[in-house]
Amino acid sequence: MDKLINLYDLTFDELAQLVAELGQPAYRARQLWTWLYQDLAADFAGMTNLPRDFREKLAEVATLGLEQPVLEQRSSDGQTKKVLFRLPDGNFIETVLMRYEKRRTLCISSQAGCAMGCVFCATGQMGFMRNLSVGEIVGQVIYLARELAAEGQRVTNIVVMGMGEPLHNYRNTLAAVDILTDSRGFNLGARKITISTVGLVPAIRRYADEQRQTPLAISLHAATDEERDRLLPVNRRWPIAELIDAARYYVAKTGRRITFEWALIEGENDTIEQAQALGRLLQGLLCHVNLIPLNPTAGYGGQPSSRERVAAFQAELAKYGVTSTIRVRRGIDIQAGCGQLRDRAIQELTPRSQE
Ligand code: SAH
Ligand code: SF4
């Protein structure tokens, strides 16, 4: 039997083509798209405005998502939840839902594992398995959107900051973004989806050339090549000067502000010298810095900076006119914080041979 088509893999045009191949009039594509992205239908049987024979045919050739949730964990305050999915080929990915007063933010994964090897990141420590398909990226959102819908709520923001490097899986990640922002369907505002990259320079330039409306964040974490080489191996390929050039190019092309992420590690990148180097680097650029005390991971000995050091770093940066925000950490008790996605559960569920 041919492989089933995951409908969440398809763009609207691809879905329209499938509908035509199944002998249905064009308007059925629109109806089906509405079932997928507005009604968040979990099965074909309930798609009551579609003819029964079409629904039966769809059930034979297609599915509505392929990932299986195998574990859900809630933080002690109940506001953050992490879902571990098992993919059909046995790989695992994680998705995090963060509830704020007014926002429901999802942190989604773009790859199983990651090839970039940032030393402080649990995903980097596990290595690269594979890119996620469009449907596996979209599917994470749909799964949690269904759950929120049952409570009368919806996804308001997405950050592509889960497992993986989104610009290393450029095509599928951006195809998923295009699907989720389609006004006929899920209709999430492009400004509500942030893409975070470790700094793949050619991909940043491509992103700028495509005039992407989704905000971009760059994980900088160090302001000198010596320091960044140590923390982010990718820096040896595209050093800071090239990266900042690409960031300037993005700002010039799009007129949009760019965000830099900085995980503060005690005694490592939280020094006044680093703050000054960062200030000099970003001075005059339309940007903002997010300061995040490091989240602990099993494979890295660094510690989060103390409050005092975070405050001193921020104050030093401000002298250069560079604005920053200290980010509140969420879900640390369930290993759902930035860079913690790998999870003890994965280690327990993965055959030891892969360790
Ligand atoms: N690969 C992309 C997106 C996923 S990582 C990227 O690197 O940007 C999301 C964010 O978490 C990045 O800013 C990353 O640097 C940060 N991060 C990784 N490990 C962390 C840790 N242990 N503590 C705090 N932030 C971390
Ligand atoms: Fe990959 Fe981002 Fe983790 Fe670096 S921080 S290893 S790029 S997921």
Side-chain angles (χ1 to χ4, degrees), residues 114-118 120-125 162-165 198 219 221 232 339:
C114 183
M116 302 301 147
C118 306
F120 48 77
C121 171
T123 311
Q125 290 154 16
M163 298 165 78
E165 166 50 43
V198 71
S219 300
H221 305 308
L232 290 79

Side-chain angles (χ1 to χ4, degrees), residues 29-78:
R30 188 77 183 250
Q31 287 177 316
L32 188 50
W33 194 252
T34 304
W35 281 113
L36 293 179
Y37 292 106
Q38 287 185 6
D39 304 306
L40 307 171
D43 57 47
F44 294 111
M47 300 181 178
T48 45
N49 62 352
L50 303 180
R52 179 189 290 267
D53 58 341
F54 180 40
R55 280 183 269 159
E56 286 171 357
K57 186 72 197 162
L58 281 171
E60 274 171 35
V61 302
T63 70
L64 295 166
L66 298 168
E67 58 275 275
Q68 295 291 324
V70 288
L71 187 74
E72 304 203 353
Q73 288 172 283
R74 237 171 235 285
S75 62
S76 49
D77 67 2

